[in-house]
Amino acid sequence: MADSVLVIGGGIAGIQASLDLASRGMNVYLVDENPSIGGRMAQLDKTFPTMDCSICILAPKMIECSRHPNIKLLTYSEVQEVKGSAGNFEVKILKKPRYVDEEKCTGCGTCAQSCPVEVPNEFDMNIGIRKAIHIPFLQAVPLKYLIDEENCLKCRLCERVCGAKAVNFDQKPETINLNVGSIIIASGFELFDSTKKSEYGYGRYRDVLTSMEFERMLSASGPTGGNLVRLADGKVPNTIVFIQCIGSRSSKDLPYCSSVCCMYATKEAILIKEHHPESEVYIFYIDLRAFGKGFQEFINRARDEYKIKYIEGHPSRIVEDPKTKNLQVHYEDVVEGDIKNIVADLVVLCPALIPRKGNEKLSKIMNVQLDELGFFKAKDSLLNPIDTNIPGIFICGYCQSPKDIPDSVAQASGAAARAAETIIQATQRGKR
Amino acid sequence: MATPKKEIPRVGVFVCHCGINIGGVVKVSEVVEFAKTIPDVAYAEANLYTCSSEGISKIKEAIKKYNLNRVVVASCTPRTHEPLFRNACEEAGLNKYLFEMANIRDQCSWAHMHEPEKATTKAKDLVKMAVAKARLLEPQDEPEIDVTPSALVIGGGISGMTAALSMANQGFNVNIVEREPELGGMLAKLHMLCPNFEDASKALSSIVDAVKSNQKINVLTSSEVEDVKGFIGNFDVTVKKDDKPLKLNQGTIVVATGAENFEPINMYGYKSNENVLTQMQLEKLLKTGDLRKPDKVVMIQCVGAREEKGRQYCSRICCGVAIKNALIIKDLYPETELFIIFRDLQTYGQEYEACYTEAREKGVHFIKYTSSNPPEVSSNSEGKLTIKTYDAFLKEMVELESDLVVLSTPLIPQKDAEKLSKILKVPLGSDGFFFEAHVKLRPIDFATDGIFVCGSAHSPKDISESISQALGVASRAAIPMANKHVRADAITSIINEDLCSGCGTCVRICPYGAIQKNEIGIAQVTSVVCKGCGTCAASCPEKAITMRHFTDDQITAQALAALEG
């Protein structure tokens, strides 16, 4: 129906836009290429500066999306084609086969218990394992299993044990045609590849982690059950070093600031101290960016109450001791002007958050412009930050420019308003 | 509300395995058999997944087949699943408040996964408690309230105007109340805008024209909100325009009152030396073209912001503003030397960082100071300014002479923010800005239904961020207006007028302003404003207040069931 809206991306921005539109009586198709909605926020342990449990505040919204009579969830699906114009877009969606019937699956998990294949779990940033038949995470919406075709042995054990007879190896990709009045893009972000900064040894040293990996480690439902351990030897790390601006604010890599890293590193540092108050935590930064509401107060607490040590500067390299697996972090003390090092048990890199690779494909399908970095380009970044060059297609969240959760939520509601305006005005034109 | 006729409870109990989540620890069949022995339980069964479509239809069938009038589901958490089960009851013709949930997963099987025996015993207790409450449950109504499809926008700056235009384009009537004689707010005082140097006057005139020519928008300038009564859908607003009261009936309210600039009295020679300006004063000189060519300009960041005690927050926009103005001066007078003395440069995102790079390339000098070594400004008899500052890169004190010192001061809350917060009964945060319902996920709602906030009234932000929030508010406020009605909470408090002594404790303590005293001094609840938090019932010294759905009898019965053993 032309009074419907297509929302691309089921992270917090896409969820908020969908719920706003559905709550006012408009129909929404929420498309996510992943098997569950939830996006990046579902992977986080806590959120700054309130220390809310991320999934606990997100899950009710995810469930509301799945239960809302006006929202149709299309997970594990991709936009293939978009034609038409504001008020009347023809959209083709490709729904990939889960090899599990969504109608029949109850999410009981018996199938995964019987599955003999164990592979790294991408939701846990490949630290933990999952089965070939799996759900991405416990609170997944929809709570429907899927078989990862690449790793499945076709042993069909899952098919035998499934009481609901939901496993279906004959499932085929499905093309779904939609007619919508407006489109909202909320495709989010991905992480800069930290192996490019070879001086820090990411990929070579087991206990040099990215912040997203570390976030999963902190999470009670993560691969270590929320226990802080070194992957090299299972010991509890005592000295932990964070390094900001991995690939960001750099003339060589990415020129911009990712806007959230100083804050989430501070949050992760506080969480370490809450796990193990005796640990030593250092955060290396270029400029400490705490520009949001309550952020500077949060940093002050981290520094004064939790005794987190902020060091200005960018370490030059990390060297692992092959025996102890300890990590020597070399840096210049800009206050004293000396070259120094800290022996860390674990190092967390805070990589630049970058536009998703899929943006290019979406941009071609919809003729929507990207900026030179690959973010979706607003019609006017100052006065029109939600509109794109194509009338009726709007953008919100990190895919437009770096921003945190509340800014994404507010902008997502803004995109919902613009989509609603488009549809209401198209309907009025139709009536005349 | 009519007294419900007493009926004999017939409770149905549905115990969920939740796959292996509960069934892997708790002996579900034992819990079901136990449930059948509890008084007034007419039916009990186990489900693999009570929330699956099969489970839901089983509840509905059982309600009809066994003539159930109360339903208990023992499964996961009501946070996520209560609405689903309540709907199932409703679809089977049962009032949805005749449903009770026992959380035997989060509070039992998950918490005691290594003690299956004890977990099973606890699950039984939790079911017994839920049944004890369910027996006493009463049907409740969710009254429907009509919503006037018209919004009041307080503040006629860029945020308020943007929100108003979007709501008007969605078909709603809007009244903008602006206390100044003209629309425009802070935007009217700016020269060029961060970060892309658009002309503020041009941006302003295009939106002011759009607002003024929109038939659905009524602009009330030189006006202030005097009083607001009522609740979502039906706010009775009194506006004072030209000293005359004007009554408006509004469905929703948007707070877009913006912020003001901190004036750095007694700091860095401000006011005592005419060459010490704030960024706002420099902005004015640039706008009017009155800035004479300076040889040197020194800008100082964080003047009255990011303080150890006092104003702790970062005002977000000042680094961007300083760099923008430095670049404008560089454009006007390429020979002018510019210094920005900063603590941490907040050029977040893409465009601000790009401006920072451009400024460095164009020769703007950046000197980093630390909060323990703030700069000092002195002037000689001819008014020439000397700035002494610690340079954290050189690790030594440096001395600069300058014609002009520009102080970057933070945005601070409007002087009358507190007054407005009392009129609207919405809170301010410890920083004095309006405080939203939830910092993460409800950044532009207030906890009070039907009232919203956007722009710098919420916290300092730039034009683009204010516009995003304003459009966001235009969606949030449109929801009740588009639906034309809202459903109020059923779980509210009731005053027993015979017991009420009129002490006023509840009136003072209610966080939503839902309780007032009537003409004879007895407390009265406006049900549609009440959120059912229970604060009043807990604090009433006469025990004159009952919470619907959480009555003393119901909770006592639950507690006694737990203690029975």
Side-chain angles (χ1 to χ4, degrees):
Chain A
M1 277 183 292
D3 68 343
S4 306
V5 179
L6 171 69
V7 177
I8 305 171
I12 184 59
I15 286 174
Q16 182 66 38
S18 300
L19 287 175
D20 268 23
L21 289 163
S23 311
R24 64 183 294 161
M26 288 185 173
N27 289 304
V28 177
Y29 299 98
L30 176 53
V31 175
D32 198 314
E33 61 179 22
N34 295 304
S36 170
I37 58 168
R40 290 292 178 188
M41 193 178 165
Q43 289 181 290
L44 306 181
D45 180 33
K46 301 270 162 45
T47 59
F48 62 79
T50 48
M51 290 301 202
D52 278 305
C53 157
S54 189
I55 191 70
C56 309
I57 59 174
L58 177 66
K61 288 202 176 244
M62 292 164 63
I63 288 167
E64 206 184 331
C65 280
S66 76
R67 289 187 23 77
H68 205 293
N70 297 347
I71 301 179
K72 170 84 180 143
L73 286 186
L74 295 166
T75 50
Y76 213 41
S77 300
E78 282 170 20
V79 179
Q80 291 289 87
E81 197 181 290
V82 173
K83 284 186 179 148
S85 58
N88 189 16
F89 290 104
E90 306 273 342
V91 182
K92 245 186 207 146
I93 308 276
L94 181 81
K95 192 163 171 52
K96 295 176 275 185
R98 296 174 93 102
Y99 303 107
V100 172
D101 188 329
E102 281 189 54
E103 297 293 313
K104 291 182 186 164
C105 176
T106 61
C108 73
T110 312
C111 56
Q113 276 190 321
S114 73
C115 177
V117 184
E118 289 188 339
V119 290
N121 185 348
E122 48 285 81
F123 184 81
D124 285 335
M125 304 306 288
N126 298 324
I127 297 181
I129 48 156
R130 64 160 172 83
K131 298 296 186 68
I133 188 163
H134 67 285
I135 45 168
F137 52 103
L138 280 175
Q139 301 85 347
V141 168
L143 193 70
K144 306 291 174 188
Y145 276 73
L146 76 154
I147 294 172
D148 139 30
E149 205 182 352
E150 211 175 301
N151 293 299
C152 173
L153 298 174
K154 309 279 183 315
C155 71
R156 296 192 170 233
L157 267 175
C158 51
E159 195 177 18
R160 254 178 275 160
V161 298
C162 176
K165 304 255 172 285
V167 177
N168 175 8
F169 281 94
D170 298 327
Q171 225 174 40
K172 297 275 177 298
E174 194 187 335
T175 304
I176 299 167
N177 294 306
L178 306 174
N179 181 216
V180 298
S182 179
I183 299 173
I184 294 172
I185 307 172
S187 63
F189 62 85
E190 52 191 74
L191 271 63
F192 171 79
D193 175 9
S194 296
T195 58
K196 287 185 185 164
K197 302 307 249 178
S198 58
E199 63 269 35
Y200 298 134
Y202 176 74
R204 293 200 309 280
Y205 308 148
R206 290 221 57 194
D207 289 299
V208 176
L209 303 178
T210 66
S211 49
M212 203 47 132
E213 291 166 343
F214 192 64
E215 194 81 42
R216 290 311 300 150
M217 193 185 267
L218 287 169
S219 170
S221 60
T224 61
N227 290 312
L228 281 183
V229 289
R230 302 216 306 176
L231 296 176
D233 53 18
K235 284 185 195 154
V236 175
N238 186 54
T239 304
I240 298 176
V241 167
F242 287 82
I243 306 177
Q244 299 296 299
C245 298
I246 302 296
S248 41
R249 302 191 68 196
S250 147
S251 52
K252 273 186 254 160
D253 298 300
L254 296 153
Y256 62 92
C257 160
S258 295
S259 295
V260 293
C261 321
C262 288
M263 294 310 296
Y264 76 62
T266 297
K267 169 200 75 180
E268 290 176 357
I270 289 177
L271 289 170
I272 295 169
K273 285 284 200 176
E274 284 182 346
H275 278 68
H276 303 291
E278 70 290 352
S279 49
E280 296 270 319
V281 187
Y282 301 87
I283 298 180
F284 284 94
Y285 68 96
I286 302 175
D287 286 288
L288 205 53
R289 295 202 166 154
F291 52 84
K293 190 167 182 171
F295 290 6
Q296 185 63 46
E297 294 89 329
F298 188 65
I299 299 265
N300 294 353
R301 258 178 59 212
R303 194 189 52 213
D304 302 338
E305 285 173 36
Y306 290 92
K307 310 292 175 205
I308 286 149
K309 299 185 180 86
Y310 290 91
I311 305 178
E312 195 185 325
H314 205 55
S316 55
R317 67 197 166 105
I318 296 173
V319 180
E320 187 191 67
D321 181 327
K323 269 190 211 149
T324 61
K325 304 290 175 191
N326 290 341
L327 301 157
Q328 275 199 1
V329 182
H330 295 268
Y331 69 102
E332 187 200 342
D333 187 320
V334 290
V335 181
E336 292 172 25
D338 287 343
I339 304 295
K340 289 188 174 173
N341 73 69
I342 293 175
V343 179
D345 299 308
L346 194 149
V347 174
V348 182
L349 305 180
C350 298
L353 304 184
I354 59 173
R356 291 180 66 89
K357 283 183 208 87
N359 286 1
E360 267 174 51
K361 187 182 155 199
L362 281 177
S363 128
K364 280 191 192 130
I365 289 173
M366 292 187 269
N367 289 322
V368 174
Q369 286 173 359
L370 299 177
D371 67 14
E372 60 279 9
L373 297 161
F375 289 104
F376 282 99
K377 194 172 174 178
K379 192 171 171 189
D380 176 335
S381 61
L382 183 74
L383 299 174
N384 223 331
I386 291 174
D387 289 32
T388 65
N389 58 308
I390 306 288
I393 302 184
F394 305 100
I395 46 181
C396 61
Y398 212 100
C399 76
Q400 184 252 337
S401 77
K403 58 180 70 67
D404 65 1
I405 292 169
D407 286 357
S408 296
V409 169
Q411 203 182 28
S413 283
R418 295 290 295 132
E421 285 179 50
T422 306
I423 284 172
I424 288 162
Q425 286 175 357
T427 317
Q428 280 169 355
R429 274 198 303 278
K431 277 184 194 155
R432 271 183 221 136
Chain B
M1 195 176 65
T3 318
K5 67 170 190 285
K6 293 285 172 208
E7 50 182 1
I8 298 160
R10 292 180 59 79
V11 186
V13 179
F14 300 82
V15 187
C16 182
H17 278 88
C18 195
I20 49 174
N21 283 298
I22 295 169
V25 179
V26 170
K27 288 200 189 85
V28 170
S29 56
E30 250 186 56
V31 179
V32 172
E33 287 314 309
F34 169 77
K36 287 178 182 165
T37 67
I38 305 173
D40 293 336
V41 170
Y43 179 71
E45 70 168 43
N47 315 104
L48 183 58
Y49 261 97
T50 314
C51 66
S52 66
S53 46
E54 193 194 349
I56 294 296
S57 39
K58 280 190 163 173
I59 295 179
K60 290 195 257 182
E61 281 162 26
I63 290 173
K64 286 182 185 138
K65 192 167 167 192
Y66 300 99
N67 202 18
L68 305 176
N69 56 20
R70 305 283 188 281
V71 171
V72 169
V73 172
S75 62
C76 54
T77 162
R79 270 171 174 264
T80 55
H81 281 65
E82 191 175 59
L84 178 70
F85 298 131
R86 277 184 172 174
N87 280 357
C89 292
E90 206 163 40
E91 282 161 22
L94 209 58
N95 183 286
K96 67 182 186 183
Y97 289 90
L98 298 173
F99 169 79
E100 184 64 19
M101 206 160 164
N103 186 343
I104 61 166
R105 189 189 68 181
D106 308 26
Q107 294 171 5
C108 188
S109 66
W110 280 358
H112 313 294
M113 54 174 77
H114 304 298
E115 297 172 289
E117 293 282 321
K118 287 183 181 169
T120 303
T121 309
K122 181 170 171 181
K124 289 179 191 169
D125 283 347
L126 289 168
V127 168
K128 187 164 63 170
M129 290 167 70
V131 172
K133 184 178 176 192
R135 295 173 67 230
L136 300 175
L137 288 175
E138 285 170 14
Q140 306 290 348
D141 294 324
E142 290 175 354
E144 202 172 88
I145 315 160
D146 290 337
V147 175
T148 309
S150 171
L152 173 74
V153 174
I154 310 173
I158 183 71
S159 301
M161 288 190 289
T162 304
L165 264 181
S166 175
M167 288 190 284
N169 287 340
Q170 295 174 56
F172 307 113
N173 294 315
V174 184
N175 286 293
I176 300 180
V177 173
E178 167 59 51
R179 68 172 158 209
E180 299 295 326
E182 290 296 330
L183 291 170
M186 186 82 78
L187 183 58
K189 299 177 187 162
L190 303 180
H191 172 46
M192 284 193 216
L193 301 174
C194 275
N196 62 359
F197 301 90
E198 283 190 39
D199 183 337
S201 330
K202 247 167 82 184
L204 179 67
S205 63
S206 78
I207 190 164
V208 169
D209 290 348
V211 165
K212 284 186 175 165
S213 62
N214 194 306
Q215 308 246 311
K216 294 217 161 257
I217 302 177
N218 178 35
V219 178
L220 298 164
T221 46
S222 306
S223 304
E224 283 190 55
V225 173
E226 282 281 281
D227 186 43
V228 173
K229 289 209 163 62
F231 42 84
I232 182 170
N234 304 279
F235 289 107
D236 292 315
V237 180
T238 312
V239 173
K240 191 173 78 182
K241 178 163 173 62
D242 306 321
D243 285 325
K244 277 181 224 126
L246 181 71
K247 300 269 186 195
L248 300 170
N249 181 253
Q250 304 283 258
T252 56
I253 298 176
V254 171
V255 176
T257 48
E260 46 188 86
N261 259 283
F262 171 66
E263 220 194 339
I265 305 285
N266 295 331
M267 295 172 87
Y268 302 105
Y270 177 75
K271 286 270 175 178
S272 60
N273 190 312
E274 60 175 13
N275 292 323
V276 179
L277 307 175
T278 62
Q279 288 288 358
M280 206 54 168
Q281 289 170 322
L282 172 65
E283 197 90 31
K284 194 175 171 189
L285 290 179
L286 291 169
K287 196 176 173 95
T288 53
D290 289 336
L291 181 74
R292 276 170 299 154
K293 184 187 164 189
D295 290 334
K296 248 187 213 176
V297 178
V298 173
M299 297 182 178
I300 303 175
Q301 300 305 110
C302 296
V303 175
R306 298 178 73 201
E307 297 172 325
E308 286 298 314
K309 299 239 155 53
R311 204 175 294 103
Q312 286 190 27
Y313 66 88
C314 159
S315 173
R316 188 171 184 132
I317 60 164
C318 332
C319 287
V321 169
I323 291 172
K324 175 206 71 168
N325 285 341
L327 283 168
I328 291 171
I329 295 173
K330 264 284 174 204
D331 255 13
L332 279 174
Y333 307 116
E335 282 132 50
T336 298
E337 259 200 287
L338 281 140
F339 294 83
I340 296 180
I341 308 182
F342 70 100
R343 279 170 58 193
D344 286 286
L345 216 60
Q346 307 291 335
T347 50
Y348 57 93
Q350 299 139 284
E351 290 175 303
Y352 286 119
E353 191 71 41
C355 285
Y356 176 33
T357 307
E358 187 188 339
R360 276 177 302 172
E361 282 166 4
K362 289 192 169 161
V364 176
H365 304 282
F366 288 85
I367 298 176
K368 182 161 183 145
Y369 76 95
T370 56
S371 56
S372 49
N373 278 314
E376 279 173 32
V377 177
S378 55
S379 56
N380 64 13
S381 49
E382 290 126 51
K384 201 79 176 159
L385 294 157
T386 306
I387 301 96
K388 275 191 210 158
T389 185
Y390 178 71
D391 184 323
F393 293 126
L394 298 175
K395 293 170 217 36
E396 59 185 32
M397 294 301 290
V398 293
E399 207 174 289
L400 303 164
E401 289 206 334
S402 181
D403 311 312
L404 208 58
V405 167
V406 185
L407 307 177
S408 295
T409 60
L411 291 179
I412 58 170
Q414 292 281 5
K415 268 181 225 79
D416 55 359
E418 199 172 341
K419 184 181 156 203
L420 186 60
S421 94
K422 283 189 178 140
I423 291 175
L424 295 172
K425 300 185 190 77
V426 296
L428 300 177
S430 56
D431 54 10
F433 289 97
F434 283 96
F435 193 65
E436 61 273 35
H438 188 278
V439 172
K440 271 327 224 199
L441 293 186
R442 293 180 66 193
I444 48 181
D445 299 359
F446 280 113
T448 306
D449 290 337
I451 311 184
F452 308 89
V453 62
C454 62
S456 289
H458 162 271
S459 69
K461 49 185 64 70
D462 71 8
I463 303 281
S464 150
E465 290 155 355
S466 298
I467 289 174
S468 283
Q469 271 202 343
L471 288 170
V473 154
S475 168
R476 303 296 297 154
I479 294 169
M481 295 196 290
N483 290 330
K484 300 190 179 73
H485 58 256
V486 288
R487 280 198 174 275
D489 284 341
I491 302 172
T492 55
S493 60
I494 325 163
I495 313 265
N496 182 334
E497 293 188 8
D498 296 337
L499 292 179
C500 175
S501 65
C503 70
T505 306
C506 55
V507 178
R508 278 193 303 278
I509 212 163
C510 174
Y512 303 97
I515 311 180
Q516 260 82 42
K517 281 197 214 177
N518 67 9
E519 61 284 353
I520 54 163
I522 298 296
Q524 261 186 341
V525 182
T526 311
S527 299
V528 293
V529 184
C530 174
K531 291 275 186 186
C533 69
T535 312
C536 56
S539 61
C540 176
E542 305 295 339
K543 300 219 173 302
I545 303 180
T546 303
M547 290 309 301
R548 289 190 172 97
H549 207 63
F550 290 93
T551 64
D552 287 357
D553 286 351
Q554 289 165 356
I555 291 169
T556 309
Q558 236 175 334
L560 288 176
L563 297 170
E564 255 167 24

